[in-house]
């Protein structure tokens, strides 16, 4: 790892505070403390223990937290390597002051294995770990995983790269880090851009008089280095554009399109708001220093991401509250779900703000809003969203049950909800109680007396664009990670820039079975110069940058 430059930029009113430093390579680093951060590296050995088959819950509801029958398990997150492992992380409550994070995986959603178990004692922490998140990086074939130690003295943000072949991983290395002066940490979310893990998180920064303040880190593979050139790697949000403190329920996604997104709740009760932010996924733009207010990095700094604002502001309405936002994206399709009480009954409903139009520089997002669930007078709460092409899936809790509802037009209209839990009244309604993705649905369930984590497959075909490869032309893999077969999948591959032959190719995949994979390609291309490649299949989109030299496409 080369030396990395980190910067922490915070605007308080008109005042800009910037701290810049260099750190030594983690390969030569055991423990380090600078004026900006503390670091500690740690290796975690694999467990790879099959979970007891007798404890599983059947075909439709699979109990995966089988080794903690008397303790509470909560806050699950799910990710999948298309065509590979489904991976779930969650909190395991061992005692009042002891909470670890198991990482379990499955090849088929039925039989599960405990792969790793993470403990804050590895970083001299408080014994508690909280709010894990995980996301698959197809470019690296690595899972990006992060979790917070909420009350540790240091190393509060823990980061790991997990090989895509998780079953073959014998050990992994991670780091614990935190800004000097940062205190309590309240949660983290994870997404990927190029070879970087991106982690929006929430902490206190008393030195700047910021409490429950959003922060953001960019961490490279394999050694967690920050980007080497113009951008800093570690930022706090001082609220100069959108006042975001006190923040909670922070979530993020990169759907493979032009932008990546985060949402969060700010404030509470009648003063709560749903804030969103978006920035580019192009690394050249992200790595351009400055350009924002006070000299802050226009595209990289969480405080001044070019597209941001309040999606919903309860303070501007009468007797209305909002809570529990989540965000999903696929190409240009973006959906943000949240719960609100904006109705004559005063109960909680689920709403969706959606768009398929990506604004240019100087413009802001325009959102349409639809009602996902409003079964009055029942409360519908704790939504989670997943977007695949034009299909939007939302899971939510109502009367102790977990429901799944689908939109086939980007979030404009919704079908009938389907109950997912097979035993009535057992789903726990709390923050981050459910997660949904291409790998399936996970939730917190108390049918056995304590809180447990259950899994169910997503009942749909899920089309993903996987690896984009070069050589003589461009090829890409298309996978169906859902539980149903897909048919008549339209696809296109387009290349921007000075490409004179093979600039666009298209076709139709006649059928793709559940769990299947196929390869599409352009055939011959000819050109010269940089290119952006956009692959779309079944509404799912992925982009990559490369270089065309005659008939060769390089740099992918």
């Amino acid at each position: 790892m080369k030396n990395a430059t980190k910067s922490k930029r915070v605007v308080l009113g008109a005042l800009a505070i910037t701290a810049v430093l260099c750190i030594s390579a983690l390969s030569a680093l055991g423990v380090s403390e600078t004026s900006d951060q503390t670091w500690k590296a740690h290796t975690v050995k694999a467990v790879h223990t099959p979970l007891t088959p007798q404890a599983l819950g059947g075909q439709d509801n699979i109990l995966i937290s089988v080794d903690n029958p008397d303790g509470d398990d909560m806050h699950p997150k799910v990710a999948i390597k298309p065509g590979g492992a489904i991976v779930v992380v969650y909190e395991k409550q061992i005692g009042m002051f002891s909470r670890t994070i198991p990482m379990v995986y499955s090849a088929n959603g039925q039989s599960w294995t405990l792969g790793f178990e993470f403990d804050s004692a590895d970083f001299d922490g408080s014994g508690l770990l909280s709010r894990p998140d995980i996301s698959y990086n197809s470019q690296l074939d690595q899972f990006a995983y992060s979790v917070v130690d909420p009350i540790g003295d240091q190393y509060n943000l823990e980061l790991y790269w997990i090989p895509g072949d998780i079953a073959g991983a014998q050990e992994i290395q991670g780091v614990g880090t935190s800004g000097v002066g940062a205190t309590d940490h309240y949660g983290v979310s994870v997404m990927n851009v190029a070879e970087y893990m991106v982690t929006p998180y929430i902490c206190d920064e008393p030195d700047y008089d910021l409490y429950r303040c959003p922060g953001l880190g960019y961490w490279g593979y394999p050694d967690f280095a920050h980007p080497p050139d113009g951008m800093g790697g570690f930022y706090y949000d001082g609220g100069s554009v959108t006042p975001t403190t006190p923040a909670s329920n922070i979530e993020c996604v990169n759907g493979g399109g032009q932008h990546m997104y985060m949402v969060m709740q700010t404030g509470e009760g009648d003063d709560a708001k749903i804030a969103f932010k978006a920035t580019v996924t192009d690394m050249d733009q992200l790595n351009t220093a400055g350009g924002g207010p006070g000299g802050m990095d226009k595209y990289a700094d969480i405080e001044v991401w070019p597209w941001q604002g309040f999606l919903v502001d309860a303070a501007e309405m009468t007797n209305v509250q909002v809570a529990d936002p989540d965000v999903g994206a696929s190409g240009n399709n973006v959906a943000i779900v949240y719960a609100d009480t904006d109705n004559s009954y005063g109960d909680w409903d689920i709403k969706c703000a959606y768009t398929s139009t990506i604004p240019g520089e100087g413009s802001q997002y325009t959102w349409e809003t639809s009602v996902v669930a409003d079964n009055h007078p029942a409360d519908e709460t704790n939504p989670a969203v997943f977007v695949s092409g034009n299909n939007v899936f939302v899971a939510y809790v109502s009367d102790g049950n977990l429901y799944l509802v689908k939109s086939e037009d980007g979030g404009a209209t919704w079908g009938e909800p389907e109950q997912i839990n097979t035993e009535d009244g057992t789903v726990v309604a709390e923050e981050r109680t459910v997660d949904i993705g291409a790998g399936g649905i996970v939730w917190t369930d108390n049918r056995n007396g304590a809180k447990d984590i259950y899994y169910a497959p997503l009942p749909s075909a899920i089309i993903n664009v996987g690896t984009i490869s070069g050589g003589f032309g461009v090829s890409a893999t298309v996978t169906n990670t859902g539980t149903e077969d897909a048919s008549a999948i339209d696809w296109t591959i387009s290349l921007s820039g000075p490409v004179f032959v093979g600039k666009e190719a298209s076709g139709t995949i006649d059928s793709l079975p559940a769990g299947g994979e196929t390869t599409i390609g352009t055939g011959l291309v000819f050109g010269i110069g940089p290119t952006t490649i956009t692959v779309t299949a079944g509404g799912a989109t992925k982009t990559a940058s490369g270089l065309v030299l005659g008939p060769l496409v390089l740099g992918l």
Side-chain angles (χ1 to χ4, degrees):
M1 167 183 160
K2 296 184 292 186
N3 283 357
T5 300
K6 304 183 203 183
S7 68
K8 174 166 52 178
R9 294 183 169 93
V10 179
V11 169
L12 304 175
L15 176 64
I17 304 172
T18 303
V20 181
L21 63 137
C22 291
I23 61 169
S24 300
L26 280 179
S27 58
L29 183 67
V31 179
S32 174
E33 182 166 340
T34 69
S35 61
D36 184 60
Q37 271 184 318
T38 60
W39 286 85
K40 182 179 181 182
H42 177 71
T43 299
V44 178
K45 300 292 185 180
V47 179
H48 295 316
T49 302
L51 301 177
T52 308
Q54 291 82 356
L56 299 181
Q59 287 280 40
D60 297 322
N61 286 192
I62 309 296
L63 172 63
I64 59 178
S65 58
V66 302
D67 62 344
N68 191 30
D70 298 322
D72 285 337
D73 305 300
M74 63 202 86
H75 302 144
K77 286 288 186 175
V78 62
I80 187 173
K81 173 184 175 178
I86 306 164
V87 180
V88 176
V89 291
Y90 60 91
E91 296 173 25
K92 176 182 176 181
Q93 186 82 42
I94 300 172
M96 184 175 297
F97 300 106
S98 181
R99 194 163 59 227
T100 63
I101 307 296
M103 178 177 288
V104 301
Y105 63 90
S106 174
N108 56 19
Q110 295 294 311
S111 58
W112 291 80
T113 298
L114 174 63
F116 296 88
E117 189 157 359
F118 301 87
D119 191 330
S120 70
D122 299 334
F123 292 101
D124 305 318
S126 67
L128 297 171
L129 286 176
S130 179
R131 304 299 177 97
D133 200 9
I134 189 166
S135 177
Y136 178 69
N137 187 316
S138 60
Q139 179 172 320
L140 299 173
D141 189 24
Q142 297 279 324
F143 290 95
Y145 158 68
S146 185
V147 67
V148 296
D149 180 340
I151 56 174
D153 292 332
Q154 55 186 349
Y155 317 131
N156 302 85
L157 182 66
E158 300 183 12
L159 313 159
Y160 291 88
W161 290 109
I162 316 291
D165 178 20
I166 186 172
Q170 296 306 307
E171 64 180 30
I172 54 173
Q173 180 161 309
V175 295
T177 180
S178 57
V180 172
T183 55
D184 295 358
H185 284 57
Y186 302 95
V188 64
S189 190
V190 175
M191 59 184 167
N192 299 282
V193 58
E195 70 272 27
Y196 293 95
M197 180 192 314
V198 184
T199 57
Y201 64 97
I202 300 171
C203 71
D204 291 340
E205 271 288 334
D207 291 348
Y208 299 141
D209 198 28
L210 295 172
Y211 296 91
R212 300 189 73 98
C213 162
L216 182 69
Y218 298 84
W219 320 94
Y221 175 80
D223 48 16
F224 307 96
H226 293 317
D229 299 320
M231 65 185 281
F234 196 50
Y235 300 93
Y236 292 128
D237 186 352
S240 63
V241 179
T242 302
T244 53
T245 57
S248 61
N249 296 316
I250 196 163
E251 300 284 358
C252 66
V253 69
N254 176 359
Q258 302 171 52
H259 289 175
M260 54 183 171
Y261 309 88
M262 76 174 76
V263 294
M264 68 193 83
Q265 178 181 334
T266 70
E268 297 178 352
D270 294 342
D271 294 324
K273 305 173 179 64
I274 305 298
F276 77 94
K277 300 195 178 198
T279 193
V280 297
T281 54
D282 180 83
M283 282 304 301
D284 289 337
Q285 289 180 281
L286 279 170
N287 215 22
T288 299
M296 290 184 287
D297 297 340
K298 177 179 179 180
Y299 298 104
D301 194 329
I302 183 176
E303 186 163 355
V304 294
W305 278 14
W307 299 275
Q308 60 176 287
F310 292 124
L311 190 68
V312 187
D313 186 345
E316 295 181 351
M317 299 181 280
T318 303
N319 298 323
V320 171
Q321 298 185 42
V322 294
D324 297 330
D326 194 22
V327 59
S330 178
N332 289 347
N333 292 316
V334 187
I336 297 172
V337 294
Y338 56 93
D340 78 4
T341 61
D342 187 16
N343 59 65
S344 58
Y345 298 87
D347 61 307
W348 289 93
D349 298 330
I350 306 299
K351 302 287 181 61
C352 176
Y354 63 95
T355 186
S356 60
T357 303
I358 305 299
E361 293 281 349
S363 300
Q364 285 297 325
Y365 275 82
T366 300
W367 302 93
E368 300 289 338
T369 303
S370 62
V371 177
V372 179
D374 63 347
N375 184 23
H376 305 300
D379 286 327
E380 292 90 20
T381 61
N382 312 111
V385 64
F386 167 63
V387 182
S388 176
N390 293 323
N391 294 324
V392 183
F393 302 86
V394 175
Y396 63 91
V397 182
S398 182
D399 282 338
N401 294 317
L402 178 65
Y403 293 93
L404 176 69
V405 62
K406 178 182 177 182
S407 169
E408 296 181 346
D409 52 15
T413 61
W414 297 88
E416 290 298 316
E418 172 187 353
Q419 185 173 323
I420 299 301
N421 57 307
T422 54
E423 186 167 331
D424 281 342
T426 62
V427 177
V428 178
E430 61 185 14
E431 291 180 1
R432 290 182 76 166
T433 195
V434 59
D435 191 34
I436 183 172
I441 311 167
V442 287
W443 71 95
T444 309
D445 194 297
N446 62 12
R447 70 184 68 179
N448 300 314
K451 294 180 182 179
D452 292 313
I453 305 303
Y454 273 77
Y455 168 87
L458 192 62
S460 178
I462 302 295
I463 305 303
N464 302 278
V465 178
T467 303
I468 301 176
S469 304
F472 287 98
V474 175
S475 62
T477 58
V478 179
T479 60
N480 178 2
T481 58
T483 59
E484 299 178 356
D485 297 344
S487 61
I489 306 165
D490 294 329
W491 62 265
T492 60
I493 302 176
S494 61
L495 290 80
S496 68
V499 178
F500 313 116
V501 177
K503 194 175 183 70
E504 182 168 301
S506 62
T508 300
I509 302 168
D510 292 334
S511 63
L512 191 59
E517 177 178 300
T518 191
T519 300
I520 57 177
T522 59
L524 177 67
V525 302
F526 192 89
I528 184 167
T531 184
T532 297
I533 300 158
T534 302
V535 180
T536 300
T541 300
K542 187 174 182 179
T543 62
S545 297
L547 178 68
V548 182
L549 289 177
L552 295 174
V553 181
L554 308 174
L556 299 177

